[in-house]
Amino acid sequence: MLLDKIETPAVLIDIEVAERNIQACQDYCDEHKIALRPHIKTHKLPRLAQAQIDAGATGITCQKIGEAEVMAAAGIKDILLTYNILGPAKLARLRRLHDEIKLSVTADNLAVLEGLSEAFADADWPLAVLIECDTGGNRCGVQSPQNTVELAEQISQSMGLRFAGLMTYPKAGGTADVQAFMTEAKGLLAEAGYDCATISSGGSPDLHQAHLAPVIKEYRVGTYIYNDRSLLVRGACGLDDCALHVLATVISTPTPERAIIDAGSKILTTDLFGLGGHGVIIGHPLLAVSALSEEHGNIDCSRAPGSLAVGDRIRVVPNHACVVSNMVDQVYLMDDGKVFSVEAVAARGMVV
Ligand SMILES: Cc1ncc(COP(=O)(O)O)c(C=O)c1O
């Protein structure tokens, strides 16, 4: 299928760019002997998860059990679930996954460990549990290196569980904080008799600084495969490294200064990521996606009045690629300007 046959709005993935991003990241991790465990929340496509594994990733990361179930059903054999799992229904699903694949999870409190132990007490082999640490990201995670010892003790004493190490999702620019926190925690755990088989960190903005925290043995990245405007403005990638574009059609030009496209918040999302506007328009540096309603996008043409006409098609690099993947049932995989696959976004909407 040729590009001009695609109905808009549509999400296009340039496979050559995505594969280049996969390889560059893998090469970097190989060079620094860091295991790579990509987060599939960015693409939600088994095909690309497999491409990441084929390039050398040790396994994948998922945030939700539903995502992990989709990936396991598609043949992915090693999954880290970076989420506190609570409640009998979810624990039963987790147990089923554990029976099928090499599964590990994270936890940051005793209540979660209690639930995991109850669900896994009679498992044939123990569930690997990493302690989540808050190294400055202000999300989940134990608050100090000292707190890891209590949880490691609890894991070791819990039927059906095995202490597997430490995990963090730091804030951007937090590499030094990760190194300090994890080094101290690792030392305290060693004194208490616990070995950290894995210490896992992540985040695309600081991917190429991962080696500056040598305590880290594994790195989890999601956005790097597609890149987006949030990484572009940080200088973490170039426009040519952005693999995901939203293709949209100009449906109205109410004034020379304003054009309206058929992509609104239901495809570009309202995720601003602290940025002004909703994306970068390829080939039109003077135009901006200035406002969105659900199905309409406003293009500010005031710096180049009249530069768009009804029927024109534009490509937008969104602020945040991962949330855009979650908005569409299918994406168009492109190679050399042609669609070679219309791929179902199999893990789309898997938030449970
Ligand atoms: C736990 C965890 N690990 C890794 C990542 C990957 O981050 P990025 O998309 O910046 O590569 C995320 C992103 O949300 C995450 O939540």
Side-chain angles (χ1 to χ4, degrees), residues 17 36 66 88 104 112 127 135 144 163 188 235 250 262 266 270 305:
V17 177
L36 176 61
S104 45
V112 167
L127 175 69
T135 56
S144 75
F163 174 62
L188 291 168
V250 177
D262 59 358
K266 282 187 174 161
T270 50

Side-chain angles (χ1 to χ4, degrees), residues 39 41-42 61 63 82 139 167 169 202-205 220-224 322:
H39 204 313
K41 52 131 199 173
T42 303
T61 308
Q63 205 80 315
T82 46
R139 203 165 65 179
M167 167 269 175
Y169 181 54
S204 292
R220 310 175 317 277
V221 260
T223 315
Y224 83 105
C322 313

